[in-house]
Amino acid sequence: MAFGLKREELKRWKSDVKNGNIAFLTHFWIDERFPDAKTVTKVGCVDQDKLIEWGKQYGLKPEWIHQDPEYPHFDLLGERQRTILQAEGKTDQLKKFNLD
């Protein structure tokens, strides 16, 4: 279950993904499969080759891509999430969700 997200943020992420940009969206999240994860960052791009190449620098495997037909994306959790957001300069998302 996702929350802590504004409709405009989601619309912008979807638009960026569909336009072939590497797009980031962080939100609060509850999933009993990951009891220690309170947030998730979705990093998406409709151009999966571009998404795969981007993910390689962080050790993300192509098979980890969520194969959503319109919005393929990686789900980042925990320390990997924090590390990648820092490396990508997404300090606004780090601060908003107390991940810094």
Side-chain angles (χ1 to χ4, degrees):
M1 177 189 333
F3 52 100
L5 181 61
K6 294 180 181 169
R7 183 178 310 275
E8 199 53 45
E9 292 170 311
L10 180 59
K11 285 171 68 175
R12 185 174 42 249
W13 182 80
K14 286 181 172 183
S15 175
D16 286 346
V17 169
K18 283 187 171 186
N19 286 324
N21 299 315
I22 300 293
F24 293 77
L25 181 70
T26 302
H27 58 79
F28 288 113
W29 183 63
I30 297 174
D31 187 319
E32 60 189 36
R33 296 173 299 164
F34 305 98
D36 295 331
K38 305 295 184 230
T39 61
V40 63
T41 297
K42 297 186 176 301
V43 181
C45 183
V46 73
D47 180 341
Q48 287 196 42
D49 291 333
K50 184 175 182 178
L51 188 58
I52 288 166
E53 282 304 309
W54 173 86
K56 282 181 183 178
Q57 67 185 311
Y58 299 111
L60 303 178
K61 298 179 181 178
E63 58 265 26
W64 295 348
I65 294 174
H66 180 88
Q67 293 296 325
D68 184 289
E70 292 186 84
Y71 310 104
H73 62 274
F74 286 109
D75 286 325
L76 307 179
L77 307 167
E79 188 56 38
R80 176 174 276 141
Q81 174 190 23
R82 188 173 8 269
T83 300
I84 292 173
L85 286 173
Q86 288 172 339
E88 293 288 331
K90 302 299 181 185
T91 56
D92 56 331
Q93 293 185 35
L94 288 164
K95 290 176 184 170
K96 179 178 178 182
F97 296 96
N98 296 317
L99 299 172
D100 50 354

